[in-house]
Structure formats: structure tokens, C-alpha cells
Amino acid sequence: MYYEDYGKKSNTVKALDIFLGKKQTYNRLILKSLVFSPKTVMQIAEYIYHNTKQKAGHNPVNVKRRIFSVIDRPKSRLWELSTKGYIEKREAKWQLTFKGFCVALTLFKSVDEVKPFLEVFNQMVKSQLLRMFDKHPLYALIKSEHVDERVKESLKRIEGDSRFSELLLFKLKEYTERLIKEGVDLDVLSVEEFTGLIGGKLVSWFLEAYVS
């Protein structure tokens, strides 16, 4: 199956501290909400409200304010995710880092759920792909003007190809889950360290599948 069942408690979910205990529900929903677009705290609270079971008869405004307070107070949900490098704040809105984006992929169970944010993904990942090549040891060994041109031609050929985007999403999810299951604690990795680990795997796959 393309994605694991989100309803099952997989090894991936258990391995990350941000997905343990009472905080896991809000942390999951915060990451999932930001996949679609950057959001203010209130917009995140709205998303959480509409994606959790609320008690009947409660005033929706009061419930949303309570959610707002829980996720935004000092050393709470947004603070933790930001401190651990999963999200960052820009111009009064929260957004995913590359690490947060990859971890968020592990929370979806079907291709249909992924498709709405393919555009966001294209902007985030494809723009970084060439930069990942220059830092990869294997690429440094084979790098030449001819190879560079072949890489650029391959990237241009797949630009806008939704099938490639979906495959790349799958690879990012697969690599992220593999790191977690191998015992790599993503909570303590910086975004740069995480990007280096994933970038190395991604470049190796891309060179073999599209350039060699």
C-alpha cells in the first residue's frame, strides 16, 4: 500500500516523542494543517477544531479559543514543534520546515490525501534538489559539465509531471520512515542535518533512476 494506515499505531508514530502521550493528537494535526499552506495560530486552531471530535452543545467559539490557548501558550505545542525544527514562523504565520514536511507525510494514508499539496511540495523540494546534488559525495565523484547538463535536462523533463511528484513524495516518506525505524531521533536533528540525510538518499535514487 502506498501509505500506512494512519489509524494504526505504527513504529514510525511510536518512535517520535512528539507523537507520544496526550500531545500527539494536536501535534499531528498541526503538522497536517500546515502541509496545505502556512497558517496563523487561529487558522491552525480552526483546523484542529474541524478535525477532532468536540463535545455536543459546547460553544464553537469557546472551544476554538481553548484550542488556541493550548497550542500557543509558552512551552506548548507550537513551541515544542518549533524548538525541534518541524515548523517555523514567518510573517505572523507558521509553516513547515523541510523536516516537518517529510514527517507530515508519514501521517497520511492515501495518494488522494497527498494530491492537494503537490504544488506546495513542488515549490519546496524541486527548488532544493539541485542544491542537494552539490553536497552529495557520490555526485562529487562523477560531476562534470556533461553530467550537470544531463541532471538539468532530467529535472526540466519531469517539471510539472504529477506522476514524478507523487513518486518523489513516496520516496521522501519511505526514507523518513526508514530513518525513524533505524533509531534516528529526528527530534534532535537540525533541519540541515535531516536534509543532508534525506538528500543523500534522494540524490542516489535520482541519479540511478533518471541520469545513469
Side-chain angles (χ1 to χ4, degrees):
M1 186 175 179
Y2 187 84
Y3 281 86
E4 290 183 15
D5 185 351
Y6 172 61
K8 294 179 181 179
K9 294 182 178 180
S10 68
N11 292 333
T12 300
V13 174
K14 288 181 180 179
L16 291 179
D17 182 66
I18 59 170
F19 296 141
L20 295 176
K22 294 181 179 179
K23 61 187 177 183
Q24 66 172 300
T25 299
Y26 280 8
N27 281 348
R28 287 182 183 182
L29 290 173
I30 289 170
L31 294 182
K32 290 186 76 173
S33 74
L34 295 178
V35 160
F36 301 101
S37 66
K39 288 179 173 58
T40 63
V41 180
M42 184 53 71
Q43 288 171 329
I44 295 172
E46 287 266 359
Y47 181 92
I48 293 174
Y49 173 76
H50 289 294
N51 287 276
T52 53
K53 295 180 180 180
Q54 306 297 330
K55 293 181 180 180
H58 283 210
N59 187 318
V61 175
N62 291 338
V63 174
K64 292 173 188 177
R65 286 175 179 170
R66 185 162 61 249
I67 294 172
F68 182 102
S69 175
V70 169
I71 65 176
D72 195 47
R73 63 192 177 199
K75 296 190 176 181
S76 191
R77 303 286 60 81
L78 291 173
W79 176 88
E80 179 185 26
L81 293 173
S82 175
T83 300
K84 293 181 176 180
Y86 294 101
I87 63 175
E88 60 186 358
K89 195 173 187 179
R90 292 187 182 180
E91 299 179 356
K93 288 189 176 183
W94 288 99
Q95 63 182 36
L96 293 172
T97 62
F98 180 68
K99 183 173 87 167
F101 181 84
C102 291
V103 170
L105 289 178
T106 70
L107 303 178
F108 291 84
K109 63 182 180 181
S110 70
V111 177
D112 288 340
E113 289 185 288
V114 175
K115 288 179 180 177
F117 58 83
L118 281 177
E119 183 177 348
V120 176
F121 164 73
N122 288 339
Q123 295 170 357
M124 176 179 293
V125 178
K126 287 186 179 179
S127 64
Q128 296 186 32
L129 205 49
L130 277 173
R131 291 196 294 273
M132 290 179 181
F133 277 102
D134 287 332
K135 297 180 180 179
H136 192 271
L138 173 61
Y139 191 64
L141 291 175
I142 64 173
K143 186 174 182 180
S144 66
E145 183 176 342
H146 174 65
V147 172
D148 276 344
E149 284 302 315
R150 290 185 64 185
V151 168
K152 291 176 183 178
E153 287 174 6
S154 297
L155 289 173
K156 185 177 182 180
R157 187 172 64 253
I158 60 181
E159 185 69 31
D161 186 341
S162 62
R163 293 171 299 176
F164 173 78
S165 295
E166 289 181 21
L167 178 58
L168 203 50
L169 284 171
F170 173 76
K171 288 295 181 181
L172 287 176
K173 178 181 182 293
E174 177 187 10
Y175 296 150
T176 302
E177 289 184 334
R178 188 181 302 170
L179 288 176
I180 297 169
K181 291 176 182 178
E182 288 173 352
V184 179
D185 187 356
L186 302 190
D187 286 349
V188 301
L189 282 184
S190 68
V191 176
E192 290 74 20
E193 290 169 332
F194 175 83
T195 302
L197 287 176
I198 293 293
K201 296 177 181 294
L202 198 62
V203 169
S204 295
W205 163 74
F206 184 85
L207 287 175
E208 182 178 353
Y210 291 91
V211 180
S212 61

